[in-house]
Amino acid sequence: MATTALFFLFAGFAIACAVSMVYHRNPLYSAISLVGVFIALSCIYITLAAPFIAAVQILIYAGAIMVLVVFVIMLLNLEDDKPLNRLRYLYAVGGGLGLILLVQTFFIFYAVMRAPKQTVDADVTVGKTLSIGTAMYTEYLLPVEIVGILLLMAVIGGVILARRLEQPKLELVVDNELERRGEGEIKDEFRIRL
Amino acid sequence: MEAIVKTIFPFAVVSIGILLAFQGVLMIVAYTVLAERKVLGWMQGRIGPNRVGPWGIAQPFADLFKFIFKEDIVPDKSTKFVYFLAPIVALTCALMPIVVYPFGPAITTIDWSFLPYGLGEGITQLPMTIARIDVGVLYVLGITSVGVYGIALAGWSSNNKYSLMGGLRSSAQMISYELAMGASVIGVVMLAGTLELGGIIAAQSGSMFKWYIIPQFIGFIVFLIAAFAETNRIPFDLPEAETELVAGFHTEYSALKFALFFMAEYVNMFTVSVMIVTLFLGGWYIPGLSLIFEVGSIPYALVSHIGFIGNICAFLFLYIWIRCTLPRFRFDQLMNFGWKFLLPVALANVILTIIVVYFLNR
């Protein structure tokens, strides 16, 4: 009974935060609401006997990714979002997609109602550290490795995109000096690579 | 009636435990502030606060009443909601890890089965931890990483350039050093084979030579340095560098809201000290104590608990000592040190531990 009450508490909090995320015009308020959604979701994971997933949810989404998002919003100091005047047909598209999502939700409710009742033993649930680790490094080793390589590629790509590859100023000074002395031909020998 | 009592009873017991633990931690934190002022005074050839009560013993309470009764000034152009939210977030995230601290060994008590409705069925032990979570280490790291929001939002909402710079610096610093901190913990977790704080202490009990400070000395040093940066203490207190930023992210905060930030900083110091003692120094385990007292008896638990708190106080003293000793880093030095030295060293330590553990377990 207590678990049910807690579930409704956290689920209500998650939905309220999600609605506030969509409706706020200020991007920083939206980001804070999204953090609220993540925290509420991780509380629900704990009530479902999946502490590892809950901890990772907080550590990665709320603690790392959203901090960077908040950081960018604060640095750019974004203006409030204005309602769209052009592209009004997007409202219809968004409404249609929302309707599909709603139908899906009701279908899931329906399927859950009809499914036979199962009781899960709390010791062997998938949310424990041991079961996740065992599954990841035995049965699903190849997908884990592939995802690891993908993430490494993303990291390297990010570093390359963020680095400015313009020519250093020092070189220009050396070039100008050599040209002034009339020794422009031997420029390449004095070129400094940074 | 029975159903209601059965539902409420566990919540009531846990609530009492949380109240006691919070009270204890906050008292230690209050006296850490007094100790810091006293020790700073002695190291600088002064006397320190000595007017309120004998030897200045009531100074923390005098400070508290001052904070409560001061005028609460809110900047006119601040973002009000976020401005009020920030100190709450900071202190909440600092206090939440207290529930997983292993304060001491379990005490064997009387059989509680005389309680009505079978509430005390089979309970003969009183644990000195509020919640034994399967992922205690990750929980502490995760909650402390959420604490960054308090500082970042405080800097943004104050509508002050010094606050904003302080908030940005602080979040950049905490994100950078969090990585090194997490990587230095991995070695310990690998050796202990568990993420639960009580399990890590159990893996280190038996002898002083089993403490992870010996096989994980590099991890210990990395964790200690990262802990200083995580708590924004000297030599890493760039967010509140007075000479550049007035008071950093809390420039515009006064009265009780400032006190909340102040308390959050000292509770964070306490948290990282608990983590250092638990992960590397065997937690509450005192070598040879089981020869004197029976394991599970009240004196055993009490002496272990005092030893644990004493260890933590030693690390709190180290914080104050370092504050008197070292000057402040420059910001680019701080970033270079974190990313180009501390993180590679921590990762090398992880790889070394993997190799050693692999060959030991073959």
Side-chain angles (χ1 to χ4, degrees), chain B residues 68-243:
Chain B
I68 290 174
F69 290 117
K70 265 178 89 165
E71 188 189 352
D72 190 11
I73 300 166
V74 179
D76 202 22
K77 293 254 174 80
S78 62
T79 316
K80 294 288 181 303
F81 176 68
V82 183
Y83 182 82
F84 280 96
L85 187 70
I88 298 171
V89 170
L91 188 63
T92 311
C93 294
L95 286 174
M96 272 174 76
I98 291 177
V99 294
V100 294
Y101 291 170
F103 283 109
I107 308 168
T108 312
T109 54
I110 47 165
D111 198 351
W112 289 93
S113 31
F114 62 84
L115 286 177
Y117 308 127
L119 287 173
E121 200 68 58
I123 298 174
T124 53
Q125 282 200 324
L126 183 71
M128 280 178 75
T129 311
I130 297 166
R132 293 192 60 152
I133 307 182
D134 187 35
V135 286
V137 177
L138 288 184
Y139 172 79
V140 174
L141 289 178
I143 297 291
T144 44
S145 71
V146 174
V148 182
Y149 287 111
I151 291 170
L153 294 179
W156 181 79
S157 64
S158 302
N159 197 27
N160 175 329
K161 59 188 170 190
Y162 299 120
S163 295
L164 183 63
M165 284 310 295
L168 287 177
R169 273 187 180 188
S170 168
S171 4
Q173 177 181 330
M174 285 172 103
I175 294 168
S176 309
Y177 280 79
E178 220 160 63
L179 291 171
M181 197 181 215
S184 65
V185 171
I186 294 176
V188 170
V189 170
M190 239 182 312
L191 287 178
T194 175
L195 281 168
E196 203 242 314
L197 291 170
I200 291 174
I201 292 178
Q204 296 178 78
S205 61
S207 149
M208 236 175 125
F209 298 102
K210 280 189 174 174
W211 286 1
Y212 288 144
I213 188 171
I214 297 167
Q216 286 292 320
F217 189 70
I218 305 170
F220 171 71
I221 296 294
V222 171
F223 193 94
L224 193 63
I225 296 173
F228 275 91
E230 279 285 293
T231 48
N232 293 332
R233 293 284 298 182
I234 284 179
F236 299 105
D237 69 334
L238 275 297
E240 8 185 319
E242 311 79 1
T243 41

